[in-house]
Amino acid sequence: MESFKHKGKRRKLVELLQEKGIEDERVLNAINQVPRHLFLNSVFEDHAYEDKAFPIAADQTISHPYTVAFQSSLLDLHPGEKVLEIGTGSGYQTAVLVAMGAEVYTIERQKNLVDFSRNMLQKINLEPKYQTYGDGYKGLPSFAPFDKIIVTAGAPSLPTLLVQQLKIGGIAVIPIGEENQKMYTYLRVDERKYEQMEFGAYKFVPMLEKRDDI
Ligand code: SAH
């Protein structure tokens, strides 16, 4: 399941991410700790620690490690913070956030990915606080407010219901755009005001509207 070979490759990946500008020690430690190869189809196992995205079930994609690291850095996460994640996917980003000491609440709209990620996160002992099958556009009002929110699919426009679930002083990291996305952070300044910052260009799978069955 986990070998010295994997550990060595992970260390190299961490060095690469540092070269690409990731400085947050908590992020780098988490990447060094989470076995990404277990979140991929085994045909990609030898490539799991390259900075590449791969297909996962239901036509979805596990993000590049750099993207995971960059979004995690933008969250400016501190242990014990409550984080809402939209788009559990394989569960890899979830595992990184849990390894960083966050209390993670995560939503996914593809049932088979919910099942896969739940099993894997349990197996490697990096379970989120709460994991559900549902529509990410709604967030989780019953668990709000959150210190941080991370969206791992491309939202066509700002999902307003989500940012309303931030604490004052909280940060949301959301890629926004139809075909391609720009990365944005929203700092909630007060009840009504958000401070927006724009980062680089990215390409995510789309954040899809609610399905009729969920
Ligand atoms: N963080 C994931 C990346 C998954 S790709 C990983 O590390 O593997 C984005 C995920 O967002 C997909 O699994 C997709 O099914 C999910 N998604 C898209 N629209 C959604 C929505 N409205 N609510 C919840 N999840 C959504």
Side-chain angles (χ1 to χ4, degrees):
M1 199 162 142
E2 164 82 340
S3 68
F4 282 117
K5 189 181 78 183
H6 294 125
K7 285 205 175 100
K9 286 186 174 179
R10 232 169 18 242
R11 181 104 288 282
K12 287 253 158 44
L13 173 62
V14 167
E15 284 167 16
L16 177 72
L17 295 175
Q18 277 176 307
E19 281 163 25
K20 291 189 175 185
I22 304 295
E23 289 174 356
D24 187 325
E25 284 295 328
R26 282 199 205 51
V27 173
L28 296 168
N29 284 336
I31 302 260
N32 199 32
Q33 185 188 330
V34 178
R36 186 173 188 252
H37 63 283
L38 298 180
F39 291 88
L40 296 173
N41 185 304
S42 56
V43 299
F44 303 122
E45 180 166 341
D46 285 348
H47 304 282
Y49 297 104
E50 294 168 18
D51 191 15
K52 287 187 181 151
F54 292 100
I56 52 174
D59 284 334
Q60 303 302 322
T61 308
I62 182 169
S63 304
H64 288 74
Y66 176 78
T67 306
V68 171
F70 186 58
Q71 285 196 283
S72 304
S73 306
L74 289 176
L75 285 176
D76 187 24
L77 205 55
H78 297 276
E81 284 188 332
K82 224 170 123 181
V83 180
L84 173 62
E85 179 193 37
I86 310 302
T88 320
S90 66
Y92 176 68
Q93 169 79 73
T94 317
V96 168
L97 297 172
V98 173
M100 289 174 73
E103 219 177 70
V104 182
Y105 296 72
T106 186
I107 312 178
E108 169 59 52
R109 72 187 282 290
Q110 300 282 353
K111 186 72 172 73
N112 50 353
L113 287 171
V114 176
D115 296 340
F116 172 84
S117 56
R118 183 174 276 136
N119 274 332
M120 187 50 74
L121 292 164
Q122 199 173 12
K123 213 183 256 175
I124 63 172
N125 233 342
L126 288 172
E127 280 173 282
K129 180 95 176 172
Y130 182 80
Q131 180 164 12
T132 191
Y133 170 51
D135 178 16
Y137 279 98
K138 292 189 204 136
L140 287 174
S142 54
F143 293 102
F146 297 93
D147 294 294
K148 307 285 161 70
I149 296 177
I150 176 171
V151 178
T152 72
S157 58
L158 176 66
T160 46
L161 284 178
L162 283 183
V163 290
Q164 284 165 11
Q165 293 174 29
L166 275 179
K167 285 183 190 167
I168 308 293
I171 299 171
V173 177
I174 312 179
I176 299 180
E178 299 271 359
E179 273 297 304
N180 295 288
Q181 293 80 34
K182 292 232 170 85
M183 193 69 75
Y184 291 94
T185 58
Y186 295 86
L187 167 67
R188 186 167 199 175
V189 182
D190 60 30
E191 213 32 64
R192 245 164 270 154
K193 209 169 134 221
Y194 298 86
E195 218 170 79
Q196 184 196 64
M197 280 178 79
E198 184 188 306
F199 295 86
Y202 288 84
K203 180 137 184 74
F204 283 80
V205 294
M207 183 171 176
L208 297 170
E209 286 296 342
K210 177 180 175 306
R211 291 159 42 149
D212 289 340
D213 55 335
I214 49 176

